Each structure stands twice: as C-alpha cells, then as structure tokens.
C-alpha cells in the first residue's frame, strides 16, 4: 500500500461529494423532465425514485466488483466519463423516449396504461443508466482511499458516505432553489455532465491512462452542442406564444382560432388534451364546453345587482374565472377579491398574454399554497376552488373535510363555494369523494353539475342559504341569456346530482386516498371505452 | 342539419316543439316535449336530439342506442349514434353503428358515410398506436426490472463466492 498525499485523498472525497450531489439532482429533476408527458403525480415520483434506488443498489454492487481490480483510478475515471455522457444526453433523449410511450393527441380517458407503465418505462430508460454509474463511485472511491491511505475499510467507507450524503444534501437544495428555476433543465443536466467530466479528467490525469475516456469525453462535448430538451408540440393549429420553466412546472401559452373566436390557453405539464386557463379578447362567457362559465352561476342565482361581489379564487391560473365573472356580473355590481396562484411564472405569463390585471380591490397572491392563504383570508361572497391541476393532480390538502370546513368559515352569510373537478361523469369516484367530502366539511348539501360538452363537473354549495333546485324557476331565470342556456342544459336528468352531508367516502387531512381515486377514475373511463370494442 | 333531418323523419308536433325549444336554448321545455312524443321510437329520437344539443353526449348516445333497438333502420339515429360514438372515442360502438347504417339504410348520404368511415379509420389507427405504446412500456418495464434484479443478485453472488475463496 502506498501512502496517499492529503491532496489525493481530498480529490477522491470531492469525487464522492459530487457524485452524491448529481444523484440527488437527477432524482429531483427527473419528474420535471417527465412531467410534460406523465404529470407529476405521486405515482410518477414513486416510479422515478424506485428506478433510481434499484439502479443505485446495482451500481454499489458493480462498484464493489470493480474495486477488486488492480487499476482503481482508471475504473473510477471510466465510470465518471460514462456517467457524464449519460447525464449530458438526458435532455435530448427525453422526448424520443417519452414520445415512444405516449402517442400524440392522447385523451385523458385513454391514458391509464400510459400513465402507469409509460412513466415507469421512461424512468428506466432515462435514469437507470446514469444512476447505475453514479452508484459505482462510492465503493471505488472507498477502495482507493483505503488502499492509498492504509485506513480501515470502515473508516474509508464512512468518510466517503459522509461526504457523498453531504453532496446529496447540497444537490437537493440547489435543484429546487437554483438549478432548475434559474438554469432550466437542459443547462442543469449539462452542468452536471461538465462537473462529472472535469472530475473524470482529473482522475484520468492521476491514472495517466486514456482510451475509452477519450471517446466518452467526445460524447460529453457533443452533448454540449446538441443535447436540448424539447417538450411535446402544442398541437395542430396552435401557435406557441411563450414557454417557461418555473420552480413548480413547465408553463406555456398557446393560441388558436376556435371558429370565430381567438383563444389563448395556459398549459402546464401538458401532454394530454387539457389546459389550465383560457383567454378570449373580450371578458365574459367563453364558448360552450368551458367550465369557467358554470362558475358564474352562483352570482347569477344570488341576483345581487349592485355593490360588490367579493370573490376568492384558489388556483387563479391566468385569471379566467375573473374575466368570465367580470363580463357577466351586472354593470353596477363590482368584482373584488383575491386570487391565489402558487406559481409566480403562471401569473407573469398571464399578465403578458392573458390580460391579468390587478387593482387595490382585486389582488393576486402568488408563491404561496392556497390552504395557507385561506387561513389568513377574510370573508367572501364566493370561493372558487380551481386548483385541481391537470385534472389528474388534486392536492390532498385542498380536498379534505378540514379544508372545506375552513373554506366554509370564510364565507359571508349566504355565500357560495364552488369547485371544478375534471372527471368522467357524476358516478366518477373522484367526484363522489370530493362532493361527499365537501358536503361533510360544509355541513351542507352539494350540487354536482356536469358541464355540457366537456368532461368537467362543477360542485356548488351554499352552507347558509338556499341552493336552487335544477330545472326550477330560480335556477333558470338568470341573466345573461347564455348563462340561462347553461342552466337549462345542466337541468336535464343525468346532468346533476345532489350529495348529502352523510355520504361516503369522506377524505380527511389524516387519510386522503385522492391519488388512488384519480387513477381509479381514469382506469374506469378507459375500461368503459374498451368494453364496447 | 340534424334538426331538419329529424323534422323530415317525423311530423309529430312534440318533436318539432323539442327541436324549436332547443334552438331557443330552452332545454327543460324541449325535454318535456320529448317525453310527450307519440311513440317510443320518436321519443328516443327526440331525447337523442335534446341531449346532443344540451351537451350530454353520453346520454345522447345511450338514447340513440335505445332507439336503434326499437328500429335498427332509423335514418337519423344510425349516423347520429356513429358520430356520437366517434366524438366519445368509443371505437367499437362507432364501427357497429356505421356498419348497421350501411347495411340497413342503403340509400345513405354517401358523403357523410365516407367522412365517418375515414374518421373511424383514423381512430382505429390511433388506438393501435396506443396499444403498441402500452405494450412497449410493459415489456420495457419487465425487461428493465428483470435485468436489474438479475444484475443485483448476480453481483451479490459474485461477491460472496470471492469472499468464500478469500
């Protein structure tokens, strides 16, 4: 055993620190890379973490096997070069890999199999190779340290694990707060590849060997020029206006002509036929099939003609609800209130492209969770919950009995609460659970209305007032005429359903099976379609 | 267009009233008018029409299918059911209704029939692509998991055998 100088030992520990950091950067950014095709649900997180853990465990064993060889530094150098190359090409490989698993133009009701198996397969294809290689680093580094410094295996392993875990800690904070929001995904991966390449180069200099290393170095260099991440295309007839990465998601604004109306859509992580917000040049009711129109029904039933309508929107997006109400409220009834949007980039895009404006009476709060803001908010005539993103990602903290109870406490006497749910009919398990939960939390019956020409259901409750019966004169005699038409469509048998306070299942903060119900909902819709083949 | 067709196949006043009410956006009244239709088949036609225009496409398809069990040769319900099934992407159902329409009503609107046939073909291709993608994903996962598990135990075993020799 030759004695290693302190500088060489330090280098080995820096290698371990960096590989630990890159492992965590990969793990945390992986879902972001896949989200445009598969969403960012708990299932996708589970698949990504599972794949990375399996690959790391194999990598540790492979590293242990390699550490038996005589040329440790060379093995370490090769592993680092290959890891750098596989990380560098991740941005470019994401679209072809995900594209092979998610056909273009897929609807959500066809997507159950793709969401489940596709996200797992994509995680395997993209993240198993770099994680396997990074797993090799720790055993090799431990062996180098032990052989050269003469310390015990436990001592060497402990030092390597200590700095590698510290690297993981740094990597996790850096990914969330700096790398992905500031650099974006492509540059994050390329920066990781460069860091690994520099370490590999240094290890190569120590080993004084060049072979596979040169080839891998060229692959990394080529990636710097050609590896770029591309999201799914916006679809035929859609013009892309802006596309950005936020700390939470990928955001884009697209525009298309719909008959005579020019519409803009704000989309987040979208590979399916869905959107988060819609804009048309004039405020008011959108064309048929957009659920925002149904969120204007409570104000019409309330029949107030002057004063103010104080509205809280949890999940403001680009402010579609505001614009729809702004154009439908009577001229003397002023729209005021608060809009909560967790993602500041969404708000920025909305200001630029979708006419979102604020005033002292109508404010936007961004960067905070809707439930946290709710606890600090005042009282409102109407609370709209439009935070069930992508129709497959319903936050558990915004779908529990306790949440609805808290929301109810922020209503003015006679106030209304309404929520949009992406679902496949009134018997959908997600609708049943959310409506029963809302009824339990608000101690009030909840009316579920299917939105005509769409796959959305709007839930409406009025805890301290009367909610009109579908088809009744109070339900139908509203203005403007197009809203009355919507009321009439929603009054047909099969378009509405009452949920009473004692119905089941009720989700709580302690036990909320909403993720499982969403998967069940998509599977049910898929089965219905396939049964008739 | 559908309204004109419906009026052509039935001169019953209740149906005309349902169509008129739908045009005016009075769907509750249109539904009530449909319930007053003279015969079950006319009622099915009217219900299909009202639900279609009210945006309840699943309900409209169900009403159309009920009507087709009463009269498989109905010239309004056959193409309407095909169109609804295509909109809802229920490919098997769309194929059945289109085939039935062509068989039972030889005097069909050829242009409409061709358009529906093309749309059906497009949806079948999309469905095949989806099934192929799903199959690729499943086999990919299976192969990856197998490789991972075999690799893990292979490497673990190789380590043990060396330790034994050591």
């Amino acid at each position: 055993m030759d004695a290693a100088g302190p500088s060489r030992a330090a280098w080995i520990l820096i290698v371990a620190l960096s590989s630990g950091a890159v492992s965590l950067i990969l793990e945390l950014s992986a879902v972001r890379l896949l989200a445009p095709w598969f969403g960012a649900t708990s299932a996708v997180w589970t698949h990504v973490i599972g794949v990375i853990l399996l690959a790391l465990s194999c990598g540790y064993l492979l590293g242990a096997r390699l550490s038996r060889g005589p040329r440790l530094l060379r093995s370490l150098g090769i592993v680092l070069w290959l890891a750098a190359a596989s990380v560098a090409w991740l941005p470019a490989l994401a679209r072809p890999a995900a594209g092979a698993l998610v056909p273009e133009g897929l609807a959500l009701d066809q997507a159950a199999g793709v969401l489940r198996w596709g996200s797992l397969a994509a995680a395997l294809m993209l993240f198993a190779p770099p994680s396997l290689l990074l797993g090799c680093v720790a055993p090799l580094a431990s062996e180098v340290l032990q052989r050269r410094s003469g310390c015990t295996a436990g001592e060497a392993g402990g030092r390597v694990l200590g700095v590698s875990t510290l690297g993981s800690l740094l990597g996790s904070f850096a990914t969330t707060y700096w790398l992905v929001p500031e650099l974006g995904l492509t540059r994050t991966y390329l920066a990781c590849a460069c860091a690994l390449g520099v370490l590999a180069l240094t290890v190569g200099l120590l080993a004084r060997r060049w072979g596979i290393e040169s080839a891998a170095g060229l692959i990394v260099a080529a990636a710097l020029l050609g590896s770029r991440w591309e999201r799914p295309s916006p679809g035929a007839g859609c013009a892309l206006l802006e596309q950005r990465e936020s700390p939470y998601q990928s955001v884009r604004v697209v525009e298309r002509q719909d008959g005579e109306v020019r519409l803009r859509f704000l989309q987040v992580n979208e590979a399916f036929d869905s959107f988060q917000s819609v804009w048309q040049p004039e405020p008011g009711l959108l064309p048929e099939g957009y659920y925002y129109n149904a969120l204007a029904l409570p104000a019409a039933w309330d029949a107030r003609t002057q004063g103010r309508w104080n509205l809280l929107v949890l999940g403001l997006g680009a402010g579609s609800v505001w614009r729809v109400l702004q154009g439908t409220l009577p001229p003397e009834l002023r729209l005021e209130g608060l809009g909560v949007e967790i993602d500041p980039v969404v708000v920025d895009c909305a200001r630029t492209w979708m006419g979102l404006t604020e005033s002292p009476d109508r404010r936007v709060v961004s960067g905070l969770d809707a439930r946290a803001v709710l606890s600090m908010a005042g009282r409102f005539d109407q609370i709209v919950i439009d935070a069930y993103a992508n129709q497959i990602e319903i936050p558990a903290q915004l779908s529990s009995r306790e949440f609805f109870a808290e929301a109810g406490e922020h209503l003015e006497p006679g106030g209304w609460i309404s929520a949009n749910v992406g679902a496949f009919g009134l018997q959908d398990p997600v609708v049943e659970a959310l409506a029963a939960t809302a009824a339990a939390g608000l101690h009030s019956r909840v009316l579920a209305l299917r939105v005509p020409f769409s796959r959305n259901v709007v839930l409406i409750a009025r805890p301290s007032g009367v909610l009109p019966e579908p088809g009744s004169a109070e339900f139908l005699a509203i203005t403007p005429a197009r809203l009355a038409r919507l009321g009439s469509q929603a009054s047909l048998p099969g378009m509405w359903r009452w949920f009473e306070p004692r119905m089941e299942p009720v989700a709580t903060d302690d036990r909320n099976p909403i993720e499982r119900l969403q998967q069940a909902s998509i599977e049910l819709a898929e089965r219905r379609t396939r049964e008739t083949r | 267009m559908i309204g004109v067709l419906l009026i052509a196949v039935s001169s019953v006043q209740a149906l005309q009233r349902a169509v008129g009410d739908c045009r005016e956006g009075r769907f509750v009244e249109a539904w009530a008018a449909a319930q007053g239709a003279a015969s079950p088949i006319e009622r099915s036609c009217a219900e299909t029409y009202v639900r279609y225009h009210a945006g309840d496409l699943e309900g409209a398809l169900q009403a159309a299918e009920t009507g087709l069990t009463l009269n498989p040769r109905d010239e309004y319900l056959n193409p309407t059911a095909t169109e609804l099934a295509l909109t809802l992407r229920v490919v098997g159902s769309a194929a059945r209704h289109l085939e039935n329409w062509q068989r039972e009503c030889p005097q069909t609107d050829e242009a409409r029939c061709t358009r529906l046939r093309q749309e059906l073909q497009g949806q079948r291709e999309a469905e095949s692509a989806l099934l192929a993608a799903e199959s690729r994903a499943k086999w990919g996962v299976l192969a990856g998991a197998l490789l991972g598990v075999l690799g893990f135990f292979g490497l673990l075993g190789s380590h043990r055998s060396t330790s034994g020799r050591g």
Side-chain angles (χ1 to χ4, degrees):
Chain A
M1 282 177 210
D2 58 333
S7 63
R8 188 165 288 193
W11 257 118
I12 296 301
L13 291 177
I14 288 172
V15 167
L17 181 101
S18 307
S19 74
V22 173
S23 296
L24 247 289
I25 292 169
L26 280 189
E27 199 165 320
L28 289 177
S29 60
V31 173
R32 293 294 299 275
L33 196 75
L34 299 178
W37 292 274
F38 303 103
T41 58
S42 295
V44 178
W45 274 105
T46 303
H47 293 167
V48 164
I49 292 171
V51 162
I52 289 178
L53 288 179
L54 176 66
L56 279 175
S57 65
C58 290
Y60 295 144
L61 291 175
L62 182 61
R65 177 78 185 76
L66 292 172
S67 68
R68 288 191 226 153
R71 291 179 296 187
L72 289 179
L73 281 177
R74 183 160 194 233
S75 299
L76 186 58
I78 291 173
V79 160
L80 286 170
W81 273 122
L82 292 177
S86 59
V87 171
W89 283 98
L90 276 175
L93 291 175
R95 185 168 173 166
L101 301 165
V102 184
E104 271 191 35
L106 195 64
L108 196 62
D109 52 344
Q110 301 171 299
V114 162
L115 290 176
R116 191 173 45 241
W117 293 100
S119 59
L120 193 49
L124 267 168
M125 274 193 276
L126 294 168
F127 295 101
S131 303
L132 177 89
L133 291 161
L134 289 169
C136 295
V137 172
L140 281 168
S142 304
E143 187 68 20
V144 172
L145 213 58
Q146 193 208 354
R147 281 193 202 174
R148 304 226 164 187
S149 65
C151 61
T152 63
E155 197 181 343
R159 286 166 73 191
V160 166
L161 279 177
V163 293
S164 155
T165 307
L166 185 69
S168 298
L169 177 73
L170 296 175
S172 64
F173 278 87
T175 310
T176 303
Y177 293 108
W178 184 63
L179 287 169
V180 172
E182 295 300 325
L183 298 185
L185 285 171
T186 299
R187 282 190 283 178
T188 294
Y189 288 125
L190 292 179
C192 286
C194 284
L196 291 171
V198 168
L199 292 171
L201 201 64
T202 318
V203 172
L205 285 173
L206 294 175
R208 295 189 192 89
R209 292 273 182 173
W210 300 98
I212 302 172
E213 294 91 330
S214 313
L218 285 175
I219 295 173
V220 175
L224 294 180
L225 298 173
S227 179
R228 297 287 175 273
W229 183 54
E230 282 181 56
R231 299 171 52 181
S233 55
C238 284
L240 181 65
L241 301 178
E242 187 173 1
Q243 186 164 290
R244 286 171 65 179
E245 286 303 308
S246 81
Y248 301 92
Q249 56 210 344
S250 298
V251 180
R252 74 180 177 199
V253 180
V254 298
E255 183 178 271
R256 74 153 197 255
Q257 196 70 28
D258 190 359
E260 290 181 357
V261 193
R262 183 165 53 101
L263 296 176
R264 287 181 186 163
F265 300 89
L266 187 131
Q267 300 179 312
V268 293
N269 296 343
E270 305 288 2
F272 306 117
D273 56 344
S274 51
F275 55 86
Q276 200 190 39
S277 294
V278 188
W279 171 93
Q280 63 181 2
E282 289 304 314
L285 292 173
L286 289 159
E288 274 190 325
Y290 292 104
Y291 66 86
Y292 302 100
N293 295 348
L295 299 172
L297 284 168
W301 290 326
D302 200 272
R304 209 177 300 173
T305 54
Q306 52 187 355
R308 62 174 200 156
W309 185 258
N310 200 10
L311 175 72
L312 170 65
V313 185
L314 303 176
L316 181 69
S320 303
V321 182
W322 276 4
R323 285 179 68 82
V324 166
L325 263 94
Q326 202 182 327
T328 49
L329 291 180
E332 301 297 315
L333 187 60
R334 218 170 46 253
L335 180 66
E336 292 183 2
L338 188 65
V340 185
E341 171 52 51
I342 194 165
D343 192 341
V345 173
V346 164
V347 175
D348 269 359
C349 288
R351 284 186 185 126
T352 310
W353 298 104
M354 302 177 84
L356 181 67
T357 51
E358 293 167 67
S359 67
D361 296 333
R362 211 188 310 161
R363 291 175 298 120
V364 177
V365 175
S366 62
L368 291 173
D369 181 78
R371 181 128 180 215
V373 176
L374 179 65
S375 63
M376 297 178 269
R379 288 180 176 272
F380 299 88
D381 296 305
Q382 185 184 3
I383 296 177
V384 169
I385 300 151
D386 194 13
Y388 301 156
N390 300 343
Q391 307 191 6
I392 49 170
E393 293 167 33
I394 299 180
Q397 78 276 16
L398 300 182
S399 56
S400 65
R401 183 181 59 203
E402 292 84 348
F403 162 71
F404 283 106
E406 195 176 343
E409 287 166 14
H410 290 272
L411 286 177
E412 293 283 5
W416 306 74
I417 193 158
S418 42
N420 165 54
V421 188
F424 304 101
L426 297 170
Q427 269 69 39
D428 186 293
V430 172
V431 169
E432 289 186 333
L434 284 172
T437 301
L442 295 165
H443 303 291
S444 153
R445 59 197 318 225
V446 170
L447 177 63
L449 292 178
R450 279 176 57 198
V451 177
F453 299 105
S454 87
R455 55 161 191 252
N456 289 75
V457 171
V458 166
L459 307 178
I460 303 173
R462 196 183 192 193
S464 58
V466 180
L467 220 164
E469 197 72 34
S472 66
E474 298 78 29
F475 196 93
L476 297 170
I478 50 177
T479 55
R482 277 187 56 211
L483 206 52
R485 177 186 167 90
L486 173 62
S488 184
Q489 287 170 317
S491 294
L492 290 193
M495 293 292 277
W496 53 272
R497 183 179 169 190
W498 285 109
F499 287 84
E500 304 297 336
R502 287 186 189 172
M503 288 170 93
E504 293 284 336
V506 173
T508 63
D509 280 343
D510 179 51
R511 187 173 170 276
N512 192 337
I514 199 71
E515 287 262 0
R516 190 171 47 76
L517 292 171
Q518 286 168 85
Q519 187 64 27
S521 157
I522 298 173
E523 281 171 11
L524 194 69
E526 190 189 46
R527 215 161 37 240
R528 265 187 225 146
T529 309
R530 289 191 176 175
E531 270 167 10
T532 46
R533 273 175 194 154
Chain B
M1 166 74 179
I2 295 162
V4 173
L5 254 176
L6 183 57
I7 292 162
V9 296
S10 172
S11 60
V12 181
Q13 208 183 358
L15 297 186
Q16 286 176 329
R17 223 173 50 235
V19 171
D21 284 334
C22 281
R23 282 187 185 146
E24 300 288 321
R26 296 194 305 263
F27 294 94
V28 175
E29 291 81 351
W31 182 255
Q35 302 312 298
S39 69
I41 181 67
E42 282 154 6
R43 183 174 156 172
S44 286
C45 286
E47 283 186 2
T48 303
Y49 183 86
V50 175
R51 285 204 181 275
Y52 194 172
H53 286 77
D56 176 13
L57 303 186
E58 290 89 351
L61 179 59
Q62 217 173 349
E65 286 177 340
T66 306
L68 284 170
T69 59
L70 300 169
N71 178 18
R73 309 185 73 167
D74 192 284
E75 295 208 8
Y76 165 65
L77 291 179
N78 271 306
T80 304
T82 310
E83 275 172 351
L84 283 163
L86 285 171
T87 307
L88 294 167
R89 296 191 199 89
V90 192
V91 179
S93 183
R96 262 199 320 278
H97 293 309
L98 184 60
E99 194 187 313
N100 189 58
W101 186 32
Q102 288 170 310
R103 192 179 55 240
E104 300 289 346
C105 315
Q107 307 295 319
T108 52
D109 173 350
E110 195 46 47
R112 193 178 182 193
C113 195
T114 306
R115 180 178 58 78
L116 292 177
R117 218 179 291 129
Q118 284 169 349
E119 211 173 308
L120 178 64
Q121 185 55 29
Q123 287 202 9
R124 277 188 168 142
E125 282 165 13
E127 198 178 67
S128 304
L130 176 66
L131 290 175
E134 255 186 67
S135 166
R136 271 196 297 275
K138 282 180 186 172
W139 283 108
V141 168
L142 198 66
L146 201 64
L147 205 65
V149 171
L150 287 178
F152 181 87
F153 286 106
L155 287 165
L156 198 64
S158 94
H159 178 70
R160 273 194 196 134
S161 62
T162 312
S163 308
R165 279 200 305 271

